[in-house]
Amino acid sequence: MRFDDAGYFSRIMKHSRKLIFICTGSDCKKAGAKKLYKELKEITAQAPHRGSCKFIKTKCMDMCKTAPNVIVGDHFCKKTTAEKVLMEIKKS
């Protein structure tokens, strides 16, 4: 068994939670990022999403014209809402 294989640990250690990055820069805050964060936390605290997501607040993502911005997996959600983010969570 080779432990120097780059994908070895990713195959063994599966992420049990999806990582969701929420921009909390000034423009995103003005566009409702704080409210969006609270909504998403409340929704995902209930079944069937309970424990499936980890929310990470970030500093400015430099995409201020499309605020609020959220990254779900490798997808950027621009000018987003809680519903759009939940749809993307289901897809990923």
Side-chain angles (χ1 to χ4, degrees):
M1 182 175 282
R2 293 183 50 188
F3 292 102
D4 60 339
D5 179 13
Y8 173 75
F9 288 105
S10 66
R11 288 190 301 272
I12 300 299
M13 306 285 289
K14 299 258 185 216
H15 288 285
S16 60
R17 296 191 289 176
K18 293 177 179 130
L19 300 178
I20 317 295
F21 297 91
I22 300 175
C23 181
T24 57
S26 60
D27 286 342
C28 285
K29 276 185 188 174
K30 289 175 191 171
K34 275 182 132 179
K35 182 182 173 198
L36 177 63
Y37 173 76
K38 286 180 184 179
E39 279 183 65
L40 290 169
K41 288 286 280 187
E42 287 174 12
I43 293 168
T44 57
Q46 301 166 9
H49 300 288
R50 184 177 299 142
S52 66
C53 299
K54 170 75 177 164
F55 293 96
I56 300 166
K57 293 180 184 177
T58 69
K59 293 186 178 182
C60 184
M61 294 182 185
D62 292 329
M63 297 187 296
C64 302
K65 290 182 180 181
T66 59
N69 295 295
V70 176
I71 301 173
V72 179
D74 60 352
H75 182 80
F76 285 83
C77 301
K78 300 174 182 177
K79 295 184 180 181
T80 196
T81 63
E83 292 79 26
K84 289 180 185 177
V85 174
L86 288 173
M87 292 273 293
E88 198 56 44
I89 289 170
K90 289 177 184 175
K91 285 183 194 176
S92 65

